[in-house]
Amino acid sequence: MNAINYGTSESMRTLQQLWRRYHAVLAYLFFGGLTTVVNYVVFGITNLWTPYLVANTIAWLLSVLFAYVTNKRWVFDAQTSTTGAVLKEVTSFFGFRLLSYFIDQLIMIIGISWLGGNPWLVKLIDQVIIVVLNWFFSKLFIFKNR
């Protein structure tokens, strides 16, 4: 019985160490996945009645709002104590997301208009690329030193 308990507690310590070490990456993957779902679902719904670039813009806006809240609170645990610091953080977050928005739109134009790809497949490939870009933007520039 002691060997089982020892192994279990040792495994638990190892998991806790891994969680502490990779918390931001794991949380970003989880919430980035949810952000991608928000983006993909909103795109799919709005693309039924609007052109794909308009649908992509609406999906981008709603998913960026979702991403800001989740990234600030649960991924990077960003504590901003002044209005000026919050404004700087929001400006930085949306500024870099705006950069990824233009890359997003370019991928959609190339994939759908130029190459004639399926909008759902192009959007899926697009989101994988954008999630990776946004991780680097967030980690290196927006929520640094947190």
Side-chain angles (χ1 to χ4, degrees):
M1 186 82 162
N2 287 338
I4 293 172
N5 287 340
Y6 176 74
T8 302
S9 63
E10 187 65 32
S11 297
M12 196 59 149
R13 274 195 293 273
T14 302
L15 286 174
Q16 289 171 341
Q17 288 171 343
L18 287 172
W19 175 253
R20 278 192 295 272
R21 185 171 184 181
Y22 297 109
H23 170 263
V25 173
L26 295 172
Y28 185 81
L29 288 173
F30 177 75
F31 288 109
L34 289 179
T35 301
T36 299
V37 169
V38 168
N39 190 292
Y40 203 73
V41 168
V42 171
F43 173 78
I45 292 169
T46 56
N47 194 39
L48 295 172
W49 47 271
T50 63
Y52 77 88
L53 290 175
V54 173
N56 197 46
T57 300
I58 295 167
W60 173 82
L61 181 61
L62 293 177
S63 63
V64 168
L65 290 171
F66 178 82
Y68 175 73
V69 171
T70 58
N71 277 245
K72 178 177 177 52
R73 179 145 171 94
W74 291 295
V75 177
F76 298 104
D77 193 30
Q79 305 295 321
T80 44
S81 57
T82 66
T83 303
V86 170
L87 286 174
K88 181 179 177 185
E89 187 178 79
V90 167
T91 302
S92 179
F93 188 86
F94 278 86
F96 279 103
R97 288 305 194 270
L98 192 58
L99 175 60
S100 68
Y101 165 76
F102 290 119
I103 296 167
D104 184 344
Q105 290 287 74
L106 183 62
I107 292 168
M108 297 296 284
I109 290 168
I110 292 169
I112 296 170
S113 294
W114 296 0
L115 300 176
N118 177 301
W120 289 96
L121 180 59
V122 172
K123 185 64 178 166
L124 184 62
I125 293 166
D126 167 70
Q127 283 305 285
V128 170
I129 295 166
I130 295 303
V131 165
V132 171
L133 279 175
N134 286 338
W135 160 260
F136 286 108
F137 291 158
S138 293
K139 184 72 175 165
L140 300 175
F141 302 110
I142 301 164
F143 298 113
K144 64 183 180 211
N145 300 325
R146 303 283 197 268

